[in-house]
Short mmCIF file of all heavy atoms in Angstrom, two decimals:
data_model
loop_
_atom_site.label_atom_id
_atom_site.label_comp_id
_atom_site.label_asym_id
_atom_site.label_seq_id
_atom_site.Cartn_x
_atom_site.Cartn_y
_atom_site.Cartn_z
N SER T 1 -8.32 28.03 2.68
CA SER T 1 -7.78 26.87 1.99
C SER T 1 -7.16 27.37 0.69
O SER T 1 -7.82 28.03 -0.11
CB SER T 1 -8.91 25.87 1.69
OG SER T 1 -8.44 24.81 0.90
N PRO T 2 -5.88 27.06 0.43
CA PRO T 2 -5.18 27.69 -0.70
C PRO T 2 -5.59 27.09 -2.05
O PRO T 2 -6.11 25.98 -2.14
CB PRO T 2 -3.72 27.39 -0.40
CG PRO T 2 -3.75 26.10 0.37
CD PRO T 2 -4.99 26.17 1.21
N ALA T 3 -5.31 27.86 -3.09
CA ALA T 3 -5.56 27.40 -4.46
C ALA T 3 -4.50 26.40 -4.90
O ALA T 3 -3.37 26.40 -4.42
CB ALA T 3 -5.57 28.59 -5.41
N TRP T 4 -4.90 25.53 -5.82
CA TRP T 4 -3.96 24.63 -6.49
C TRP T 4 -3.33 25.37 -7.67
O TRP T 4 -3.93 26.30 -8.23
CB TRP T 4 -4.69 23.40 -7.00
CG TRP T 4 -5.19 22.45 -5.96
CD1 TRP T 4 -5.87 22.76 -4.82
CD2 TRP T 4 -5.05 21.02 -5.98
NE1 TRP T 4 -6.18 21.62 -4.11
CE2 TRP T 4 -5.69 20.53 -4.81
CE3 TRP T 4 -4.48 20.12 -6.86
CZ2 TRP T 4 -5.75 19.17 -4.51
CZ3 TRP T 4 -4.54 18.77 -6.56
CH2 TRP T 4 -5.16 18.30 -5.39
N PRO T 5 -2.16 24.93 -8.13
CA PRO T 5 -1.56 25.54 -9.33
C PRO T 5 -2.14 24.97 -10.62
O PRO T 5 -1.73 25.37 -11.70
CB PRO T 5 -0.08 25.20 -9.18
CG PRO T 5 -0.09 23.90 -8.45
CD PRO T 5 -1.24 23.99 -7.48
N ILE T 6 -3.04 24.00 -10.50
CA ILE T 6 -3.78 23.48 -11.65
C ILE T 6 -5.26 23.63 -11.37
O ILE T 6 -5.68 23.86 -10.23
CB ILE T 6 -3.44 21.99 -11.94
CG1 ILE T 6 -3.81 21.11 -10.74
CG2 ILE T 6 -1.97 21.83 -12.30
CD1 ILE T 6 -3.65 19.62 -10.99
N SER T 7 -6.08 23.50 -12.41
CA SER T 7 -7.52 23.68 -12.27
C SER T 7 -8.24 22.35 -12.41
O SER T 7 -7.65 21.34 -12.81
CB SER T 7 -8.03 24.65 -13.33
OG SER T 7 -7.96 24.03 -14.63
N TYR T 8 -9.52 22.37 -12.12
CA TYR T 8 -10.34 21.18 -12.34
C TYR T 8 -10.27 20.75 -13.80
O TYR T 8 -10.21 19.55 -14.10
CB TYR T 8 -11.79 21.45 -11.94
CG TYR T 8 -12.72 20.29 -12.25
CD1 TYR T 8 -12.83 19.23 -11.37
CD2 TYR T 8 -13.45 20.25 -13.43
CE1 TYR T 8 -13.65 18.15 -11.65
CE2 TYR T 8 -14.28 19.18 -13.72
CZ TYR T 8 -14.38 18.13 -12.84
OH TYR T 8 -15.19 17.06 -13.13
N ASP T 9 -10.30 21.71 -14.71
CA ASP T 9 -10.27 21.37 -16.14
C ASP T 9 -9.00 20.61 -16.52
O ASP T 9 -9.01 19.77 -17.43
CB ASP T 9 -10.39 22.65 -16.99
CG ASP T 9 -11.77 23.26 -16.92
OD1 ASP T 9 -12.72 22.56 -16.52
OD2 ASP T 9 -11.90 24.45 -17.26
N ASP T 10 -7.90 20.91 -15.83
CA ASP T 10 -6.65 20.18 -16.10
C ASP T 10 -6.77 18.71 -15.74
O ASP T 10 -6.14 17.84 -16.37
CB ASP T 10 -5.49 20.80 -15.31
CG ASP T 10 -5.14 22.20 -15.78
OD1 ASP T 10 -5.18 22.43 -17.00
OD2 ASP T 10 -4.83 23.04 -14.93
N LEU T 11 -7.57 18.40 -14.72
CA LEU T 11 -7.71 17.02 -14.26
C LEU T 11 -8.91 16.30 -14.86
O LEU T 11 -8.98 15.07 -14.81
CB LEU T 11 -7.84 16.98 -12.73
CG LEU T 11 -6.56 16.92 -11.90
CD1 LEU T 11 -6.89 16.64 -10.43
CD2 LEU T 11 -5.59 15.85 -12.41
N ALA T 12 -9.87 17.05 -15.41
CA ALA T 12 -11.14 16.44 -15.83
C ALA T 12 -10.97 15.23 -16.75
O ALA T 12 -11.58 14.19 -16.51
CB ALA T 12 -12.04 17.50 -16.48
N PRO T 13 -10.16 15.31 -17.82
CA PRO T 13 -10.04 14.12 -18.69
C PRO T 13 -9.40 12.94 -17.98
O PRO T 13 -9.68 11.78 -18.32
CB PRO T 13 -9.18 14.61 -19.86
CG PRO T 13 -8.46 15.81 -19.35
CD PRO T 13 -9.38 16.45 -18.36
N PHE T 14 -8.56 13.21 -16.98
CA PHE T 14 -7.92 12.13 -16.24
C PHE T 14 -8.86 11.56 -15.19
O PHE T 14 -8.77 10.36 -14.85
CB PHE T 14 -6.61 12.64 -15.63
CG PHE T 14 -5.66 13.17 -16.67
CD1 PHE T 14 -5.51 14.53 -16.88
CD2 PHE T 14 -4.96 12.30 -17.50
CE1 PHE T 14 -4.66 15.03 -17.85
CE2 PHE T 14 -4.10 12.78 -18.48
CZ PHE T 14 -3.96 14.14 -18.66
N TYR T 15 -9.77 12.38 -14.67
CA TYR T 15 -10.84 11.84 -13.84
C TYR T 15 -11.67 10.84 -14.66
O TYR T 15 -12.05 9.77 -14.15
CB TYR T 15 -11.75 12.96 -13.35
CG TYR T 15 -11.34 13.64 -12.07
CD1 TYR T 15 -11.33 15.03 -11.97
CD2 TYR T 15 -11.01 12.90 -10.93
CE1 TYR T 15 -10.99 15.67 -10.79
CE2 TYR T 15 -10.67 13.54 -9.75
CZ TYR T 15 -10.66 14.93 -9.68
OH TYR T 15 -10.33 15.56 -8.50
N ASP T 16 -11.97 11.19 -15.90
CA ASP T 16 -12.72 10.27 -16.77
C ASP T 16 -12.01 8.93 -16.88
O ASP T 16 -12.62 7.86 -16.74
CB ASP T 16 -12.88 10.86 -18.18
CG ASP T 16 -13.81 12.07 -18.21
OD1 ASP T 16 -14.58 12.27 -17.25
OD2 ASP T 16 -13.75 12.82 -19.21
N ARG T 17 -10.70 8.98 -17.13
CA ARG T 17 -9.92 7.75 -17.29
C ARG T 17 -9.86 6.97 -15.98
O ARG T 17 -9.98 5.74 -15.96
CB ARG T 17 -8.52 8.08 -17.78
CG ARG T 17 -8.46 8.53 -19.23
CD ARG T 17 -7.05 8.97 -19.62
NE ARG T 17 -6.06 7.93 -19.39
CZ ARG T 17 -4.75 8.12 -19.52
NH1 ARG T 17 -4.30 9.33 -19.87
NH2 ARG T 17 -3.89 7.14 -19.30
N ALA T 18 -9.66 7.69 -14.88
CA ALA T 18 -9.56 7.02 -13.58
C ALA T 18 -10.87 6.31 -13.24
O ALA T 18 -10.87 5.21 -12.69
CB ALA T 18 -9.19 8.02 -12.49
N GLU T 19 -12.00 6.93 -13.55
CA GLU T 19 -13.29 6.29 -13.28
C GLU T 19 -13.45 5.01 -14.09
O GLU T 19 -14.00 4.01 -13.59
CB GLU T 19 -14.43 7.25 -13.58
CG GLU T 19 -14.58 8.35 -12.53
CD GLU T 19 -15.64 9.38 -12.87
OE1 GLU T 19 -16.09 9.42 -14.05
OE2 GLU T 19 -16.01 10.16 -11.99
N ARG T 20 -12.95 5.01 -15.32
CA ARG T 20 -13.03 3.77 -16.11
C ARG T 20 -12.11 2.70 -15.54
O ARG T 20 -12.49 1.52 -15.45
CB ARG T 20 -12.68 4.08 -17.58
CG ARG T 20 -13.71 4.94 -18.30
CD ARG T 20 -13.47 4.95 -19.80
NE ARG T 20 -12.20 5.54 -20.18
CZ ARG T 20 -12.00 6.82 -20.43
NH1 ARG T 20 -13.01 7.68 -20.31
NH2 ARG T 20 -10.81 7.28 -20.81
N ILE T 21 -10.91 3.08 -15.18
CA ILE T 21 -9.95 2.12 -14.63
C ILE T 21 -10.48 1.48 -13.35
O ILE T 21 -10.30 0.28 -13.11
CB ILE T 21 -8.60 2.81 -14.38
CG1 ILE T 21 -7.89 3.11 -15.71
CG2 ILE T 21 -7.70 1.96 -13.49
CD1 ILE T 21 -6.66 3.98 -15.58
N TYR T 22 -11.14 2.28 -12.52
CA TYR T 22 -11.63 1.81 -11.23
C TYR T 22 -13.09 1.34 -11.28
O TYR T 22 -13.70 1.13 -10.24
CB TYR T 22 -11.45 2.89 -10.17
CG TYR T 22 -10.07 2.88 -9.54
CD1 TYR T 22 -9.00 3.52 -10.14
CD2 TYR T 22 -9.84 2.19 -8.36
CE1 TYR T 22 -7.72 3.50 -9.58
CE2 TYR T 22 -8.58 2.16 -7.77
CZ TYR T 22 -7.52 2.82 -8.39
OH TYR T 22 -6.27 2.78 -7.83
N ASP T 23 -13.65 1.17 -12.48
CA ASP T 23 -15.00 0.61 -12.63
C ASP T 23 -16.01 1.33 -11.74
O ASP T 23 -16.78 0.71 -11.00
CB ASP T 23 -15.01 -0.89 -12.29
CG ASP T 23 -14.22 -1.71 -13.29
OD1 ASP T 23 -14.35 -1.45 -14.49
OD2 ASP T 23 -13.45 -2.60 -12.87
N VAL T 24 -16.03 2.65 -11.82
CA VAL T 24 -16.87 3.42 -10.91
C VAL T 24 -18.34 3.34 -11.33
O VAL T 24 -18.68 3.50 -12.50
CB VAL T 24 -16.42 4.90 -10.85
CG1 VAL T 24 -17.35 5.69 -9.91
CG2 VAL T 24 -14.98 4.98 -10.34
N HIS T 25 -19.19 3.08 -10.35
CA HIS T 25 -20.64 3.03 -10.50
C HIS T 25 -21.22 4.29 -9.86
O HIS T 25 -20.88 4.63 -8.73
CB HIS T 25 -21.23 1.81 -9.80
CG HIS T 25 -20.79 0.51 -10.39
ND1 HIS T 25 -21.65 -0.37 -11.01
CD2 HIS T 25 -19.56 -0.08 -10.45
CE1 HIS T 25 -20.99 -1.43 -11.42
NE2 HIS T 25 -19.72 -1.28 -11.10
N GLY T 26 -22.11 4.96 -10.56
CA GLY T 26 -22.72 6.16 -9.99
C GLY T 26 -23.82 6.68 -10.88
O GLY T 26 -24.11 6.12 -11.95
N ALA T 27 -24.44 7.75 -10.44
CA ALA T 27 -25.53 8.40 -11.19
C ALA T 27 -25.14 9.86 -11.41
O ALA T 27 -25.28 10.68 -10.50
CB ALA T 27 -26.85 8.30 -10.44
N ARG T 28 -24.60 10.16 -12.57
CA ARG T 28 -24.13 11.51 -12.86
C ARG T 28 -25.28 12.50 -12.74
O ARG T 28 -26.37 12.29 -13.27
CB ARG T 28 -23.54 11.58 -14.25
CG ARG T 28 -22.71 12.82 -14.52
CD ARG T 28 -21.32 12.69 -13.92
NE ARG T 28 -20.46 11.78 -14.69
CZ ARG T 28 -19.30 11.29 -14.24
NH1 ARG T 28 -18.85 11.59 -13.04
NH2 ARG T 28 -18.59 10.48 -15.00
#
């Protein structure tokens, strides 16, 4: 499975925002 040209760290702050926008419920 090939590598992405970006890393998880590049997306991490946007994952935070997406979880807020989508009202995500979970147990970190």
Side-chain angles (χ1 to χ4, degrees):
S1 174
W4 290 47
I6 61 174
S7 70
Y8 176 83
D9 289 342
D10 293 321
L11 272 190
F14 302 102
Y15 272 133
D16 291 342
R17 288 175 57 188
E19 286 175 346
R20 292 192 297 271
I21 288 171
Y22 274 84
D23 293 317
V24 179
H25 296 245
R28 195 79 74 193

